[in-house]
Amino acid sequence: MDSLSNPIPKILIVEEDEPLAADLEECVKELGYTVSAVVSDGHAAGEVAGNARPDLALVDLSLKGDLDGPRVGGQLCRRFDVPVVYLIDNTRGELFERARATNPYGYVLKPFDTRQLYVNLQVAVSTHQREREHRKALIELERTIGESTYRKELMDTVFDSMSEGVVAVDDSADKFLYVNPGARQILGMDMTDDPPYRWAEKCGAYYPDMETPMKAADLPLMRAIRCGESTDEEDVYIRNTKKPDGVYIRMSGRPLLDNTSEIRGGVIIFRDVTERVLADEALARAFDQGRLEMVDTILHNIGNAMNSVTIGIETVRRNLENDRAGSRLFALARAIDAHRNDWVAYIADDPQGRKVMPFVIKLAEDFGRRNDELMKTVGRVRDRANRIADIIRTQKALDGSDMDRKDIDLFDALSGAFRVLRDSLNKRGIHTEVDCGNAPQEIRIRESQFHQMLVNLVKNSIEAIDEHAVLFGLQEKPRIRISACAMKGFLFLEIIDNGIGIQNKDTRALFTPGYTTKKSGSGLGLHSSANFVIASGGRIEPLSEGKGNGTTMRVMLPLSAVAPHVAAG
């Protein structure tokens, strides 16, 4: 008994007969137990039990006083969880019946027999110990059941509160394990009336083309059960009597596995993406319309540039055709040739010859002026030819031939937006400025999309200046400024104009597909710009102090994506 795992039981002796109490104490110790105390009345027994917490009490059933034997035994059992073995004589009666009501763990006849005492002590201590462990196990079981119930109720509450649909099915595909209210709401019906393998037929499942029926075996839920396949973000079109207009749902499925990785069922989570799909379709239509407008703009810009090229070439032709300086040069050459043999005397003594030197100087000045004019004209022609090349290169990029990210010069890219729209800017007398400030010299990005974003934003500023001129007139020179700087892990781009500005309430709608305040236009420009910025991990936001106060369109791109060398530094 004397071990750390099995400590020696402590025995409380409650006996009025002092000689008998002494014999009991000695015998108990000889049997290998510890005696907590030996007391002669019930009050003392209660105090010892409260302090010493004995493992068992030997109680004289014949105790006198207000706390007799049965009362002491009942008190020790109820208050202190101490098992009781009564010391009794041969008498039976009301006292014995009261003792039985306290559920004692044994009886020892007086005068006691050592073997009988030993057996009673052993049985009482071990039985009480087992009962105590059993009670602890029951308490732990109740706690575990309570926690499991709480978790189940919590999970039910979570799933029931989800707007997404959640459906779980057993491995036989014959029984629904769980269907949350979100699933019923999205599908328009309760699926549990029929087995899961009829789900596709009952709910009216189609492929995204809205025409081809989907077989039950092709649904992510069945593939998870039958093949253990995990699926993510698959679109399914649902049309039934409750959803006659149809809904698009985006579905993900997983198999339910046990501890041995055996498939025990499947679960799917899906959500209604009808609005998003319809918005994408509207965007595609707007994009097609926008491309037609863009092609028209490109052809218009090319036509303007070609007009300038034609005018420049015609100017060069006229200058060469009416070349007075050349005619005068040929006349001088003939005069010099006529006096080849007396050239020195001719220019020194002849009145006409003395005019040759001033004539040559004047002729050189005329050639210089004509040269300057021709160089300016040729420069304009070259600029217009480059302009045409830029337009064609931009169009080719928009057709998808340049979708890879590459390193580009930031200042040149920002200036390129002004070059594309130079005719529109010059026509309105808009002053432009590019300031790269504290920005990386090069960035890595999809050049064509970045370029088109800038063109869209600058074009938006031009239109804002036009609207300001119509409503309020132009009290100051119209201007558009593009600034760039690196700060707080982002590349900040700001397109700043002094156009009409925006009201705060308008900012949410600016980037939605199809939104426009113009009578003509696709409403695609700002939306496609926002899509590009968001896809690049950034964000775009308009800033304005209200109508008539201009707008700053701020674009924030993460440096880690567009300038990793700067972000690392």
Side-chain angles (χ1 to χ4, degrees):
M1 290 184 185
D2 192 8
S3 67
L4 292 175
S5 60
N6 296 299
I8 299 173
K10 298 178 292 184
I11 309 298
L12 169 64
I13 298 174
V14 186
E15 175 58 58
E16 288 180 329
D17 187 339
E18 292 184 4
L20 180 59
D23 290 342
L24 277 171
E25 180 179 8
E26 183 178 353
C27 184
V28 167
K29 289 180 179 178
E30 288 177 355
L31 292 174
Y33 295 95
T34 299
V35 176
S36 297
V38 178
V39 297
S40 59
D41 63 82
H43 296 288
E47 293 179 3
V48 172
N51 296 325
R53 296 292 176 178
D55 297 295
L56 186 141
L58 288 171
V59 179
D60 182 7
L61 189 60
S62 303
L63 283 178
K64 304 296 190 293
D66 58 333
L67 287 178
D68 59 8
R71 289 182 177 175
V72 172
Q75 184 184 72
L76 293 177
C77 182
R78 290 191 308 272
R79 291 183 57 191
F80 306 108
D81 191 26
V82 176
V84 173
V85 173
Y86 286 113
L87 300 168
I88 64 172
D89 51 28
N90 286 324
T91 60
R92 290 182 177 270
E94 183 267 341
L95 193 63
F96 185 78
E97 292 302 322
R98 288 174 53 210
R100 285 180 58 189
T102 63
N103 296 318
Y105 282 73
Y107 301 92
V108 176
L109 287 172
K110 294 190 290 185
F112 65 87
D113 177 74
T114 301
R115 288 169 54 186
Q116 183 192 19
L117 178 63
Y118 177 72
V119 170
N120 272 273
L121 293 179
Q122 284 284 86
V123 171
V125 170
S126 61
T127 301
H128 184 262
Q129 182 63 31
R130 285 195 300 272
E131 290 177 352
R132 181 178 291 173
E133 292 173 354
H134 180 66
R135 287 196 299 271
K136 288 183 179 178
L138 287 177
I139 293 172
E140 182 64 23
L141 178 61
E142 290 178 358
R143 186 185 67 81
T144 302
I145 293 174
E147 288 183 356
S148 299
T149 302
Y150 170 75
R151 290 177 181 176
K152 179 183 180 301
E153 292 174 351
L154 177 62
M155 293 305 296
D156 286 346
T157 301
V158 171
F159 286 135
D160 289 349
S161 302
M162 290 173 60
S163 59
E164 291 84 357
V166 180
V167 177
V169 172
D170 69 352
D171 57 343
S172 67
D174 288 330
K175 180 181 178 182
F176 285 100
L177 301 176
Y178 181 79
V179 178
N180 77 330
R184 298 184 179 93
Q185 176 69 27
I186 292 172
L187 300 174
M189 62 176 60
D190 186 358
M191 305 174 295
T192 57
D193 296 337
D194 294 294
Y197 60 78
R198 294 194 57 194
W199 186 64
E201 176 186 349
K202 179 174 182 179
C203 293
Y206 295 83
Y207 286 96
D209 64 2
M210 302 187 298
E211 298 295 336
T212 308
M214 181 175 280
K215 297 179 181 178
D218 295 334
L219 288 170
L221 179 60
M222 295 304 167
R223 284 151 55 194
I225 297 172
R226 304 302 188 199
C227 310
E229 181 181 348
S230 296
T231 55
D232 291 298
E233 301 290 300
E234 288 198 7
D235 286 351
V236 178
Y237 183 72
I238 299 294
R239 183 173 61 238
N240 53 54
T241 55
K242 300 295 184 181
K243 297 285 183 177
D245 295 331
V247 292
Y248 286 94
I249 62 174
R250 191 154 292 166
M251 187 180 296
S252 298
R254 293 290 186 276
L256 296 175
L257 306 177
D258 62 13
N259 296 337
T260 61
S261 297
E262 291 290 326
I263 297 175
R264 296 305 182 195
V267 61
I268 54 169
I269 297 177
F270 54 91
R271 62 187 185 278
D272 186 342
V273 293
T274 305
E275 290 187 4
R276 184 179 303 177
V277 172
L278 295 179
D280 289 343
E281 292 177 354
L283 174 61
R285 290 193 296 270
F287 185 75
D288 290 339
Q289 181 182 351
R291 285 181 65 86
L292 292 175
E293 292 181 3
M294 193 178 300
V295 169
D296 182 66
T297 301
I298 290 170
L299 293 176
H300 176 72
N301 289 339
I302 290 177
N304 289 342
M306 284 300 301
N307 287 337
S308 298
V309 170
T310 303
I311 293 172
I313 292 175
E314 178 61 22
T315 301
V316 172
R317 189 194 67 76
R318 286 198 305 269
N319 284 340
L320 293 176
E321 184 179 32
N322 304 317
D323 187 8
R324 294 179 57 198
S327 299
R328 295 169 68 191
L329 179 61
F330 287 132
L332 175 63
R334 287 193 295 271
I336 292 173
D337 184 65
H339 294 278
R340 181 181 301 177
N341 297 326
D342 60 342
W343 172 250
V344 175
Y346 176 70
I347 63 175
D349 302 326
D350 190 281
Q352 290 295 113
R354 286 195 292 271
K355 296 179 180 178
V356 169
M357 186 63 68
F359 182 81
V360 169
I361 294 173
K362 183 67 169 63
L363 186 62
E365 292 175 352
D366 290 345
F367 266 107
R369 282 192 296 271
R370 192 196 69 171
N371 237 19
D372 289 342
E373 292 175 0
L374 288 175
M375 286 300 294
K376 290 178 181 178
T377 302
V378 170
R380 286 194 296 271
V381 171
R382 180 197 61 197
D383 290 342
R384 294 306 175 186
N386 288 337
R387 168 83 174 97
I388 294 172
D390 284 342
I391 294 171
I392 295 172
R393 184 166 52 251
T394 299
Q395 178 59 27
K396 288 177 65 178
L398 291 174
D399 288 338
S401 60
D402 181 21
M403 293 300 291
D404 293 332
R405 286 156 47 91
K406 68 177 188 177
D407 293 330
I408 62 172
D409 183 275
L410 180 59
F411 182 84
D412 184 64
L414 301 183
S415 302
F418 288 143
R419 287 197 298 271
V420 169
L421 299 168
R422 178 55 57 194
D423 289 338
S424 297
L425 294 166
N426 289 342
K427 179 181 177 181
R428 295 163 174 80
I430 298 175
H431 174 74
T432 61
E433 180 185 354
V434 176
D435 178 16
C436 284
N438 179 30
Q441 182 177 350
E442 287 188 342
I443 61 172
R444 181 171 298 170
I445 204 157
R446 289 179 175 174
E447 182 180 20
S448 62
Q449 293 182 353
F450 181 70
H451 176 77
Q452 189 58 44
M453 176 200 72
L454 292 171
V455 170
N456 287 338
L457 296 180
V458 172
K459 187 177 179 182
N460 191 67
S461 290
I462 293 174
E463 293 167 351
I465 289 173
D466 287 345
E467 188 175 353
H468 190 284
V470 170
L471 295 179
F472 303 111
L474 295 176
Q475 286 77 33
E476 57 182 2
K477 185 176 181 62
R479 63 183 185 276
I480 301 175
R481 179 172 180 264
I482 304 178
S483 68
C485 70
M487 182 172 60
K488 297 181 180 179
F490 285 89
L491 172 65
F492 283 78
L493 302 175
E494 292 187 340
I495 295 82
I496 307 165
D497 64 62
N498 58 347
I500 190 61
I502 54 177
Q503 297 285 10
N504 290 335
K505 65 180 181 180
D506 295 333
T507 57
R508 288 190 176 188
L510 285 177
F511 303 107
T512 55
Y515 177 84
T516 178
T517 58
K518 302 182 292 295
K519 293 182 179 179
S520 62
S522 65
L524 177 67
L526 289 180
H527 178 68
S528 62
S529 299
N531 281 348
F532 166 72
V533 172
I534 294 170
S536 302
R539 60 180 184 266
I540 183 171
E541 56 184 13
L543 307 172
S544 177
E545 294 182 0
K547 212 74 168 178
N549 293 305
T551 302
T552 295
M553 198 66 71
R554 176 177 293 167
V555 174
M556 298 171 60
L557 299 172
L559 284 174
S560 58
V562 300
H565 57 289
V566 175

